[in-house]
Amino acid sequence: MTDTDIALQQATTQVEAASADAAKRPTIAGFFDEATNTISYVVSDPATKEAAVIDSVLDYQAASGRTSYGSADRIIEYVEANRLTVIWHIETHAHADHISAAPYLQEKLGGKLGIGKEIIRVQDVFGKLFNAGTDFERDGSQFDHLFTDGEHFSIGELEGIVLHVPGHTPADMAFIIGDAAFVGDTLFMPDFGTARADFPGGDARQLFRSIRRLLKLPDDTRLFLCHDYKAPGRDEYAWESTVKLQRENNVHVKDGTTEDEFVAMRAARDATLDMPTLILPSVQVNIRGGRLPEPEENGVSYIKIPVNAV
């Protein structure tokens, strides 16, 4: 049995145990940011009140370059109201559509910041694109912990396991906590489909295989998504699905879809998509663990805009 199969088998066993025992299931609160169509999560253990924050959002005005903390403060209010202790701030990948609020939340709530170890590949690619210079470390040291495929972790008494699911970016990770899977940008709601694969380091074939790996989890595994854009004909935002619903209904990758069909669809669709509005500031900051570039001699931080390079 390969290491990948072992990790998936262990994740399956964990989900099955949590499905059968409510004490092994997390309490989950989702926070939707309509400006970026992002859902952040607070995942907590009811028994110990320990918690993780997943994919937080720092408010950013592209026109003015100003940041604010309204989205993050909603998370702080929830954590404090429920007397939670945050031990993890988790990024499913280096986001290209919003800036992470993890450093701000760490300052206010404590906890360690973690991301997949392949962030070093993303740092290398985008460090060159932004000409970040030799002062920018490309070793993941901006994060407190780099997760690896199959790694186990805990939130209080809750068990967690990490699955590497590249394709959207090289560093995407899915975090299986109890019976819930936080899958980042790999999947959207079944009526909307799947993530794009045309960013630097993206690969549609890898994405297909990563998704099919996730869809081998038990049918009743709860899937929590990082984005929703309301598919045509749907009036409300939604961000929770199940493996069964995705396998039966996902418009891009349901059961019976071949890898070649998916790759052809993804290539054609991605060719029509504009770059995310905030990709240049977001990636530039998120490869630094959500920290702005170091201030220059005048005390101001600057976001670079490479011209004719993307």
Side-chain angles (χ1 to χ4, degrees):
M1 183 177 291
T2 67
D3 289 344
T4 295
D5 290 335
I6 291 171
L8 184 61
Q9 183 184 65
Q10 291 174 337
T12 296
T13 300
Q14 175 187 295
V15 170
E16 290 172 341
S19 296
D21 184 353
K24 296 181 179 180
R25 297 177 213 150
T27 298
I28 300 166
F31 298 82
F32 183 68
D33 176 57
E34 191 164 0
T36 62
N37 294 91
T38 302
I39 304 94
S40 305
Y41 297 98
V42 177
V43 185
S44 59
D45 173 23
T48 65
K49 297 291 187 178
E50 288 192 354
V53 178
I54 300 178
D55 292 337
S56 60
V57 174
L58 178 71
D59 302 318
Y60 177 78
Q61 293 293 328
S64 65
R66 288 195 170 275
T67 60
S68 57
Y69 305 101
S71 296
D73 285 340
R74 285 197 297 149
I75 290 175
I76 293 172
E77 290 170 7
Y78 174 85
V79 167
E80 292 179 342
N82 289 276
R83 299 182 180 180
L84 303 178
T85 300
V86 174
I87 60 170
W88 282 111
H89 299 270
I90 291 172
E91 302 291 348
T92 55
H93 62 295
H95 308 278
D97 40 38
H98 72 270
I99 293 174
S100 170
Y104 173 75
L105 290 172
Q106 281 185 287
E107 180 183 342
K108 301 294 183 180
L109 300 173
K112 297 190 295 184
L113 174 58
I115 197 169
K117 73 168 187 175
E118 295 301 319
I119 187 62
I120 61 177
R121 290 180 56 194
V122 180
Q123 289 177 326
D124 184 56
V125 169
F126 284 100
K128 293 173 182 174
L129 174 64
F130 294 115
N131 197 29
T134 56
D135 290 339
F136 173 59
E137 299 292 343
R138 295 161 170 82
D139 59 1
S141 57
Q142 299 86 349
F143 300 84
D144 299 311
H145 185 77
L146 301 183
F147 287 101
T148 59
D149 186 63
E151 182 174 348
H152 291 251
F153 68 105
S154 62
I155 301 170
E157 296 175 4
L158 297 176
E159 295 181 359
I161 190 167
V162 186
L163 299 180
H164 186 210
V165 287
H168 175 60
T169 79
D172 282 64
M173 307 293 275
F175 293 83
I176 321 301
I177 302 170
D179 67 333
F182 299 85
V183 300
D185 284 14
T186 54
L187 285 164
F188 298 140
M189 291 299 288
D191 58 0
F192 201 87
T194 60
R196 66 196 298 167
D198 60 335
F199 294 153
D203 185 302
R205 290 192 183 277
Q206 272 195 331
L207 179 59
F208 179 85
R209 294 167 189 172
S210 293
I211 291 171
R212 296 311 304 181
R213 185 185 188 199
L214 285 172
L215 296 185
K216 290 179 182 177
L217 289 167
D219 280 355
D220 56 355
T221 306
R222 296 184 291 160
L223 303 181
F224 290 87
L225 318 176
C226 191
H227 297 287
D228 188 55
Y229 303 95
K230 287 197 296 191
R234 176 157 55 86
D235 295 328
E236 296 182 352
Y237 291 109
W239 47 82
E240 181 179 351
S241 183
T242 66
V243 165
K244 185 175 189 293
L245 288 172
Q246 295 284 355
R247 292 184 63 167
E248 292 178 349
N249 302 307
N250 188 287
V251 294
H252 293 166
V253 73
K254 65 185 176 183
D255 285 355
T257 306
T258 69
E259 182 173 318
D260 286 344
E261 288 171 342
F262 177 81
V263 170
M265 177 283 300
R266 199 65 265 172
R269 181 172 173 81
D270 289 352
T272 71
L273 300 177
D274 292 330
M275 286 290 103
T277 301
L278 297 182
I279 184 172
L280 295 178
S282 293
V283 173
Q284 215 165 149
V285 174
N286 292 336
I287 59 175
R288 293 177 166 87
R291 299 170 185 85
L292 295 173
E294 285 295 317
E296 298 191 8
E297 61 271 10
N298 61 355
V300 177
S301 293
Y302 289 88
I303 300 290
K304 291 182 177 181
I305 305 297
V307 178
N308 298 323
V310 178

